[in-house]
Amino acid sequence: LIISKKNFKEFLLRNPGFSLRLMQVLVERLDRADKEIENMIFYNIMGRLASKLLELVGKRTKVPVELDIEQSELAECLGTTRVPICRAISVLKKRGILSYKKKKILIYNIDKLKNMASKK
């Protein structure tokens, strides 16, 4: 079935309820696509970052664990740039797993990092 652009515009103008529902569906789809893209991009980097942080934590278990490392150093270790590392660290900060200030990472939840590392 094909509808011309002109006829479709006229239909949308005459049917505001349909237009609103169409926008809702499009927003939902866009949101879902954004999440899928984010997962594809971050999933690998998040798992690799979690593994590297655990490696740096070593056998320490008393939280918070303090690591003296810059984002650029982490990026170098993981074979990426600082930007994805910065984004991944922001996600981890929002989840309460760690904080990052003045070239120091404080890790608050080692178990969550282990869980993330196991999914890479």
Side-chain angles (χ1 to χ4, degrees), residues 91-118:
V91 170
L92 295 175
K93 283 169 63 176
K94 287 178 187 171
R95 293 181 184 172
I97 296 170
L98 58 76
S99 65
Y100 181 80
K101 290 183 184 176
K102 298 183 182 180
K103 302 176 187 177
K104 289 186 192 278
I105 294 176
L106 293 173
I107 298 174
Y108 300 107
N109 196 321
I110 294 172
D111 290 335
K112 282 187 180 179
L113 275 181
K114 286 179 181 175
N115 187 37
M116 293 173 80
S118 69

PDB file of all heavy atoms in Angstrom, residues 91-118:
ATOM      1  N   VAL A  91      28.550   6.182  33.205  1.00  0.00           N
ATOM      2  CA  VAL A  91      27.487   5.199  33.439  1.00  0.00           C
ATOM      3  C   VAL A  91      27.723   4.494  34.772  1.00  0.00           C
ATOM      4  O   VAL A  91      26.793   4.330  35.571  1.00  0.00           O
ATOM      5  CB  VAL A  91      27.422   4.170  32.287  1.00  0.00           C
ATOM      6  CG1 VAL A  91      26.488   3.018  32.629  1.00  0.00           C
ATOM      7  CG2 VAL A  91      26.983   4.843  30.993  1.00  0.00           C
ATOM      8  N   LEU A  92      28.958   4.109  35.032  1.00  0.00           N
ATOM      9  CA  LEU A  92      29.277   3.422  36.289  1.00  0.00           C
ATOM     10  C   LEU A  92      29.066   4.340  37.492  1.00  0.00           C
ATOM     11  O   LEU A  92      28.642   3.890  38.557  1.00  0.00           O
ATOM     12  CB  LEU A  92      30.717   2.904  36.257  1.00  0.00           C
ATOM     13  CG  LEU A  92      30.998   1.821  35.209  1.00  0.00           C
ATOM     14  CD1 LEU A  92      32.483   1.470  35.179  1.00  0.00           C
ATOM     15  CD2 LEU A  92      30.166   0.587  35.458  1.00  0.00           C
ATOM     16  N   LYS A  93      29.357   5.620  37.309  1.00  0.00           N
ATOM     17  CA  LYS A  93      29.105   6.593  38.379  1.00  0.00           C
ATOM     18  C   LYS A  93      27.609   6.690  38.667  1.00  0.00           C
ATOM     19  O   LYS A  93      27.195   6.672  39.823  1.00  0.00           O
ATOM     20  CB  LYS A  93      29.658   7.971  37.985  1.00  0.00           C
ATOM     21  CG  LYS A  93      31.158   8.085  38.121  1.00  0.00           C
ATOM     22  CD  LYS A  93      31.728   9.333  37.493  1.00  0.00           C
ATOM     23  CE  LYS A  93      31.259  10.608  38.117  1.00  0.00           C
ATOM     24  NZ  LYS A  93      31.920  11.800  37.538  1.00  0.00           N
ATOM     25  N   LYS A  94      26.810   6.766  37.620  1.00  0.00           N
ATOM     26  CA  LYS A  94      25.356   6.869  37.793  1.00  0.00           C
ATOM     27  C   LYS A  94      24.789   5.643  38.486  1.00  0.00           C
ATOM     28  O   LYS A  94      23.796   5.733  39.201  1.00  0.00           O
ATOM     29  CB  LYS A  94      24.666   7.071  36.444  1.00  0.00           C
ATOM     30  CG  LYS A  94      24.856   8.453  35.870  1.00  0.00           C
ATOM     31  CD  LYS A  94      24.198   8.584  34.508  1.00  0.00           C
ATOM     32  CE  LYS A  94      24.552   9.918  33.874  1.00  0.00           C
ATOM     33  NZ  LYS A  94      24.124  10.005  32.484  1.00  0.00           N
ATOM     34  N   ARG A  95      25.401   4.503  38.262  1.00  0.00           N
ATOM     35  CA  ARG A  95      24.938   3.253  38.889  1.00  0.00           C
ATOM     36  C   ARG A  95      25.488   3.083  40.306  1.00  0.00           C
ATOM     37  O   ARG A  95      25.191   2.087  40.960  1.00  0.00           O
ATOM     38  CB  ARG A  95      25.341   2.055  38.032  1.00  0.00           C
ATOM     39  CG  ARG A  95      24.629   2.019  36.702  1.00  0.00           C
ATOM     40  CD  ARG A  95      25.029   0.817  35.902  1.00  0.00           C
ATOM     41  NE  ARG A  95      24.409   0.829  34.585  1.00  0.00           N
ATOM     42  CZ  ARG A  95      24.716  -0.026  33.623  1.00  0.00           C
ATOM     43  NH1 ARG A  95      25.619  -0.959  33.825  1.00  0.00           N
ATOM     44  NH2 ARG A  95      24.121   0.051  32.452  1.00  0.00           N
ATOM     45  N   GLY A  96      26.295   4.031  40.754  1.00  0.00           N
ATOM     46  CA  GLY A  96      26.838   3.977  42.113  1.00  0.00           C
ATOM     47  C   GLY A  96      27.950   2.968  42.297  1.00  0.00           C
ATOM     48  O   GLY A  96      28.268   2.590  43.423  1.00  0.00           O
ATOM     49  N   ILE A  97      28.552   2.522  41.214  1.00  0.00           N
ATOM     50  CA  ILE A  97      29.608   1.519  41.285  1.00  0.00           C
ATOM     51  C   ILE A  97      30.950   2.157  41.625  1.00  0.00           C
ATOM     52  O   ILE A  97      31.770   1.569  42.317  1.00  0.00           O
ATOM     53  CB  ILE A  97      29.689   0.721  39.963  1.00  0.00           C
ATOM     54  CG1 ILE A  97      28.378  -0.051  39.766  1.00  0.00           C
ATOM     55  CG2 ILE A  97      30.892  -0.205  39.934  1.00  0.00           C
ATOM     56  CD1 ILE A  97      28.221  -0.696  38.412  1.00  0.00           C
ATOM     57  N   LEU A  98      31.156   3.371  41.125  1.00  0.00           N
ATOM     58  CA  LEU A  98      32.423   4.051  41.379  1.00  0.00           C
ATOM     59  C   LEU A  98      32.251   5.561  41.303  1.00  0.00           C
ATOM     60  O   LEU A  98      31.198   6.056  40.935  1.00  0.00           O
ATOM     61  CB  LEU A  98      33.511   3.581  40.393  1.00  0.00           C
ATOM     62  CG  LEU A  98      33.263   3.734  38.887  1.00  0.00           C
ATOM     63  CD1 LEU A  98      33.428   5.163  38.425  1.00  0.00           C
ATOM     64  CD2 LEU A  98      34.225   2.849  38.126  1.00  0.00           C
ATOM     65  N   SER A  99      33.305   6.260  41.688  1.00  0.00           N
ATOM     66  CA  SER A  99      33.368   7.703  41.464  1.00  0.00           C
ATOM     67  C   SER A  99      34.751   7.999  40.888  1.00  0.00           C
ATOM     68  O   SER A  99      35.681   7.203  41.033  1.00  0.00           O
ATOM     69  CB  SER A  99      33.126   8.489  42.752  1.00  0.00           C
ATOM     70  OG  SER A  99      34.153   8.259  43.686  1.00  0.00           O
ATOM     71  N   TYR A 100      34.859   9.144  40.229  1.00  0.00           N
ATOM     72  CA  TYR A 100      36.116   9.512  39.592  1.00  0.00           C
ATOM     73  C   TYR A 100      36.366  10.997  39.806  1.00  0.00           C
ATOM     74  O   TYR A 100      35.554  11.818  39.416  1.00  0.00           O
ATOM     75  CB  TYR A 100      36.071   9.210  38.090  1.00  0.00           C
ATOM     76  CG  TYR A 100      37.349   9.536  37.361  1.00  0.00           C
ATOM     77  CD1 TYR A 100      38.432   8.683  37.389  1.00  0.00           C
ATOM     78  CD2 TYR A 100      37.472  10.719  36.647  1.00  0.00           C
ATOM     79  CE1 TYR A 100      39.595   8.987  36.717  1.00  0.00           C
ATOM     80  CE2 TYR A 100      38.644  11.032  35.976  1.00  0.00           C
ATOM     81  CZ  TYR A 100      39.697  10.159  36.019  1.00  0.00           C
ATOM     82  OH  TYR A 100      40.856  10.468  35.368  1.00  0.00           O
ATOM     83  N   LYS A 101      37.480  11.296  40.475  1.00  0.00           N
ATOM     84  CA  LYS A 101      37.851  12.688  40.715  1.00  0.00           C
ATOM     85  C   LYS A 101      39.357  12.804  40.755  1.00  0.00           C
ATOM     86  O   LYS A 101      40.037  11.996  41.394  1.00  0.00           O
ATOM     87  CB  LYS A 101      37.281  13.192  42.043  1.00  0.00           C
ATOM     88  CG  LYS A 101      35.790  13.376  42.052  1.00  0.00           C
ATOM     89  CD  LYS A 101      35.310  13.933  43.371  1.00  0.00           C
ATOM     90  CE  LYS A 101      33.794  13.993  43.349  1.00  0.00           C
ATOM     91  NZ  LYS A 101      33.237  14.430  44.616  1.00  0.00           N
ATOM     92  N   LYS A 102      39.841  13.811  40.084  1.00  0.00           N
ATOM     93  CA  LYS A 102      41.274  14.148  40.118  1.00  0.00           C
ATOM     94  C   LYS A 102      42.176  12.935  39.929  1.00  0.00           C
ATOM     95  O   LYS A 102      43.024  12.626  40.749  1.00  0.00           O
ATOM     96  CB  LYS A 102      41.619  14.872  41.417  1.00  0.00           C
ATOM     97  CG  LYS A 102      40.897  16.183  41.568  1.00  0.00           C
ATOM     98  CD  LYS A 102      41.319  16.903  42.826  1.00  0.00           C
ATOM     99  CE  LYS A 102      40.530  18.194  42.942  1.00  0.00           C
ATOM    100  NZ  LYS A 102      40.883  18.952  44.118  1.00  0.00           N
ATOM    101  N   LYS A 103      41.976  12.244  38.828  1.00  0.00           N
ATOM    102  CA  LYS A 103      42.809  11.094  38.447  1.00  0.00           C
ATOM    103  C   LYS A 103      42.733   9.928  39.431  1.00  0.00           C
ATOM    104  O   LYS A 103      43.614   9.088  39.482  1.00  0.00           O
ATOM    105  CB  LYS A 103      44.265  11.527  38.258  1.00  0.00           C
ATOM    106  CG  LYS A 103      44.442  12.612  37.228  1.00  0.00           C
ATOM    107  CD  LYS A 103      45.882  13.058  37.171  1.00  0.00           C
ATOM    108  CE  LYS A 103      46.001  14.270  36.266  1.00  0.00           C
ATOM    109  NZ  LYS A 103      47.350  14.788  36.214  1.00  0.00           N
ATOM    110  N   LYS A 104      41.677   9.877  40.226  1.00  0.00           N
ATOM    111  CA  LYS A 104      41.483   8.772  41.166  1.00  0.00           C
ATOM    112  C   LYS A 104      40.109   8.152  40.949  1.00  0.00           C
ATOM    113  O   LYS A 104      39.116   8.849  40.831  1.00  0.00           O
ATOM    114  CB  LYS A 104      41.591   9.267  42.610  1.00  0.00           C
ATOM    115  CG  LYS A 104      42.984   9.649  43.031  1.00  0.00           C
ATOM    116  CD  LYS A 104      43.000   9.989  44.508  1.00  0.00           C
ATOM    117  CE  LYS A 104      44.286  10.654  44.894  1.00  0.00           C
ATOM    118  NZ  LYS A 104      45.374   9.776  45.139  1.00  0.00           N
ATOM    119  N   ILE A 105      40.097   6.841  40.925  1.00  0.00           N
ATOM    120  CA  ILE A 105      38.843   6.105  40.840  1.00  0.00           C
ATOM    121  C   ILE A 105      38.617   5.453  42.191  1.00  0.00           C
ATOM    122  O   ILE A 105      39.510   4.801  42.728  1.00  0.00           O
ATOM    123  CB  ILE A 105      38.897   5.029  39.740  1.00  0.00           C
ATOM    124  CG1 ILE A 105      39.005   5.689  38.366  1.00  0.00           C
ATOM    125  CG2 ILE A 105      37.670   4.127  39.801  1.00  0.00           C
ATOM    126  CD1 ILE A 105      39.156   4.716  37.221  1.00  0.00           C
ATOM    127  N   LEU A 106      37.435   5.669  42.735  1.00  0.00           N
ATOM    128  CA  LEU A 106      37.038   4.996  43.974  1.00  0.00           C
ATOM    129  C   LEU A 106      35.965   3.986  43.607  1.00  0.00           C
ATOM    130  O   LEU A 106      34.907   4.353  43.093  1.00  0.00           O
ATOM    131  CB  LEU A 106      36.499   5.983  45.003  1.00  0.00           C
ATOM    132  CG  LEU A 106      37.495   6.983  45.573  1.00  0.00           C
ATOM    133  CD1 LEU A 106      36.790   7.996  46.446  1.00  0.00           C
ATOM    134  CD2 LEU A 106      38.563   6.265  46.365  1.00  0.00           C
ATOM    135  N   ILE A 107      36.244   2.722  43.860  1.00  0.00           N
ATOM    136  CA  ILE A 107      35.297   1.657  43.525  1.00  0.00           C
ATOM    137  C   ILE A 107      34.524   1.276  44.779  1.00  0.00           C
ATOM    138  O   ILE A 107      35.117   0.923  45.792  1.00  0.00           O
ATOM    139  CB  ILE A 107      36.029   0.436  42.929  1.00  0.00           C
ATOM    140  CG1 ILE A 107      36.724   0.877  41.640  1.00  0.00           C
ATOM    141  CG2 ILE A 107      35.045  -0.705  42.682  1.00  0.00           C
ATOM    142  CD1 ILE A 107      37.584  -0.153  41.008  1.00  0.00           C
ATOM    143  N   TYR A 108      33.188   1.348  44.662  1.00  0.00           N
ATOM    144  CA  TYR A 108      32.313   1.077  45.796  1.00  0.00           C
ATOM    145  C   TYR A 108      31.641  -0.291  45.738  1.00  0.00           C
ATOM    146  O   TYR A 108      31.187  -0.784  46.765  1.00  0.00           O
ATOM    147  CB  TYR A 108      31.214   2.148  45.882  1.00  0.00           C
ATOM    148  CG  TYR A 108      31.756   3.540  46.052  1.00  0.00           C
ATOM    149  CD1 TYR A 108      31.716   4.451  44.999  1.00  0.00           C
ATOM    150  CD2 TYR A 108      32.321   3.949  47.249  1.00  0.00           C
ATOM    151  CE1 TYR A 108      32.216   5.731  45.142  1.00  0.00           C
ATOM    152  CE2 TYR A 108      32.826   5.231  47.398  1.00  0.00           C
ATOM    153  CZ  TYR A 108      32.770   6.116  46.347  1.00  0.00           C
ATOM    154  OH  TYR A 108      33.279   7.380  46.488  1.00  0.00           O
ATOM    155  N   ASN A 109      31.547  -0.865  44.544  1.00  0.00           N
ATOM    156  CA  ASN A 109      30.833  -2.133  44.422  1.00  0.00           C
ATOM    157  C   ASN A 109      31.594  -3.096  43.511  1.00  0.00           C
ATOM    158  O   ASN A 109      31.409  -3.104  42.290  1.00  0.00           O
ATOM    159  CB  ASN A 109      29.411  -1.889  43.898  1.00  0.00           C
ATOM    160  CG  ASN A 109      28.525  -3.078  44.111  1.00  0.00           C
ATOM    161  OD1 ASN A 109      28.943  -4.217  43.950  1.00  0.00           O
ATOM    162  ND2 ASN A 109      27.270  -2.824  44.464  1.00  0.00           N
ATOM    163  N   ILE A 110      32.423  -3.904  44.111  1.00  0.00           N
ATOM    164  CA  ILE A 110      33.253  -4.853  43.365  1.00  0.00           C
ATOM    165  C   ILE A 110      32.395  -5.963  42.748  1.00  0.00           C
ATOM    166  O   ILE A 110      32.660  -6.413  41.630  1.00  0.00           O
ATOM    167  CB  ILE A 110      34.360  -5.436  44.277  1.00  0.00           C
ATOM    168  CG1 ILE A 110      35.325  -4.305  44.674  1.00  0.00           C
ATOM    169  CG2 ILE A 110      35.097  -6.577  43.602  1.00  0.00           C
ATOM    170  CD1 ILE A 110      36.347  -4.681  45.725  1.00  0.00           C
ATOM    171  N   ASP A 111      31.358  -6.378  43.461  1.00  0.00           N
ATOM    172  CA  ASP A 111      30.494  -7.451  42.940  1.00  0.00           C
ATOM    173  C   ASP A 111      29.811  -7.062  41.639  1.00  0.00           C
ATOM    174  O   ASP A 111      29.701  -7.864  40.713  1.00  0.00           O
ATOM    175  CB  ASP A 111      29.445  -7.867  43.982  1.00  0.00           C
ATOM    176  CG  ASP A 111      30.070  -8.602  45.165  1.00  0.00           C
ATOM    177  OD1 ASP A 111      31.147  -9.200  44.982  1.00  0.00           O
ATOM    178  OD2 ASP A 111      29.472  -8.571  46.247  1.00  0.00           O
ATOM    179  N   LYS A 112      29.342  -5.824  41.540  1.00  0.00           N
ATOM    180  CA  LYS A 112      28.710  -5.373  40.304  1.00  0.00           C
ATOM    181  C   LYS A 112      29.733  -5.329  39.155  1.00  0.00           C
ATOM    182  O   LYS A 112      29.402  -5.660  38.025  1.00  0.00           O
ATOM    183  CB  LYS A 112      28.064  -3.994  40.481  1.00  0.00           C
ATOM    184  CG  LYS A 112      26.745  -4.060  41.210  1.00  0.00           C
ATOM    185  CD  LYS A 112      26.064  -2.710  41.216  1.00  0.00           C
ATOM    186  CE  LYS A 112      24.732  -2.779  41.962  1.00  0.00           C
ATOM    187  NZ  LYS A 112      24.054  -1.479  42.007  1.00  0.00           N
ATOM    188  N   LEU A 113      30.962  -4.928  39.471  1.00  0.00           N
ATOM    189  CA  LEU A 113      32.007  -4.946  38.450  1.00  0.00           C
ATOM    190  C   LEU A 113      32.268  -6.376  37.973  1.00  0.00           C
ATOM    191  O   LEU A 113      32.422  -6.620  36.787  1.00  0.00           O
ATOM    192  CB  LEU A 113      33.317  -4.346  38.993  1.00  0.00           C
ATOM    193  CG  LEU A 113      33.474  -2.843  38.927  1.00  0.00           C
ATOM    194  CD1 LEU A 113      34.833  -2.440  39.479  1.00  0.00           C
ATOM    195  CD2 LEU A 113      33.297  -2.320  37.530  1.00  0.00           C
ATOM    196  N   LYS A 114      32.314  -7.316  38.916  1.00  0.00           N
ATOM    197  CA  LYS A 114      32.528  -8.730  38.556  1.00  0.00           C
ATOM    198  C   LYS A 114      31.416  -9.219  37.640  1.00  0.00           C
ATOM    199  O   LYS A 114      31.666  -9.928  36.667  1.00  0.00           O
ATOM    200  CB  LYS A 114      32.613  -9.600  39.804  1.00  0.00           C
ATOM    201  CG  LYS A 114      33.897  -9.449  40.572  1.00  0.00           C
ATOM    202  CD  LYS A 114      33.907 -10.317  41.815  1.00  0.00           C
ATOM    203  CE  LYS A 114      35.196 -10.130  42.596  1.00  0.00           C
ATOM    204  NZ  LYS A 114      35.209 -10.863  43.867  1.00  0.00           N
ATOM    205  N   ASN A 115      30.191  -8.830  37.946  1.00  0.00           N
ATOM    206  CA  ASN A 115      29.047  -9.219  37.135  1.00  0.00           C
ATOM    207  C   ASN A 115      29.173  -8.657  35.722  1.00  0.00           C
ATOM    208  O   ASN A 115      28.924  -9.347  34.733  1.00  0.00           O
ATOM    209  CB  ASN A 115      27.745  -8.756  37.795  1.00  0.00           C
ATOM    210  CG  ASN A 115      26.523  -9.275  37.073  1.00  0.00           C
ATOM    211  OD1 ASN A 115      26.505 -10.396  36.585  1.00  0.00           O
ATOM    212  ND2 ASN A 115      25.505  -8.455  37.009  1.00  0.00           N
ATOM    213  N   MET A 116      29.576  -7.402  35.629  1.00  0.00           N
ATOM    214  CA  MET A 116      29.744  -6.765  34.318  1.00  0.00           C
ATOM    215  C   MET A 116      30.893  -7.403  33.536  1.00  0.00           C
ATOM    216  O   MET A 116      30.794  -7.594  32.333  1.00  0.00           O
ATOM    217  CB  MET A 116      29.992  -5.274  34.484  1.00  0.00           C
ATOM    218  CG  MET A 116      28.809  -4.518  35.039  1.00  0.00           C
ATOM    219  SD  MET A 116      29.232  -2.823  35.384  1.00  0.00           S
ATOM    220  CE  MET A 116      29.121  -2.182  33.726  1.00  0.00           C
ATOM    221  N   ALA A 117      31.953  -7.724  34.227  1.00  0.00           N
ATOM    222  CA  ALA A 117      33.124  -8.317  33.569  1.00  0.00           C
ATOM    223  C   ALA A 117      32.803  -9.706  33.029  1.00  0.00           C
ATOM    224  O   ALA A 117      33.321 -10.105  31.994  1.00  0.00           O
ATOM    225  CB  ALA A 117      34.293  -8.383  34.541  1.00  0.00           C
ATOM    226  N   SER A 118      31.929 -10.415  33.702  1.00  0.00           N
ATOM    227  CA  SER A 118      31.591 -11.773  33.256  1.00  0.00           C
ATOM    228  C   SER A 118      30.716 -11.770  32.003  1.00  0.00           C
ATOM    229  O   SER A 118      30.567 -12.783  31.342  1.00  0.00           O
ATOM    230  CB  SER A 118      30.880 -12.538  34.379  1.00  0.00           C
ATOM    231  OG  SER A 118      29.596 -11.985  34.609  1.00  0.00           O
TER     232      SER A 118
END
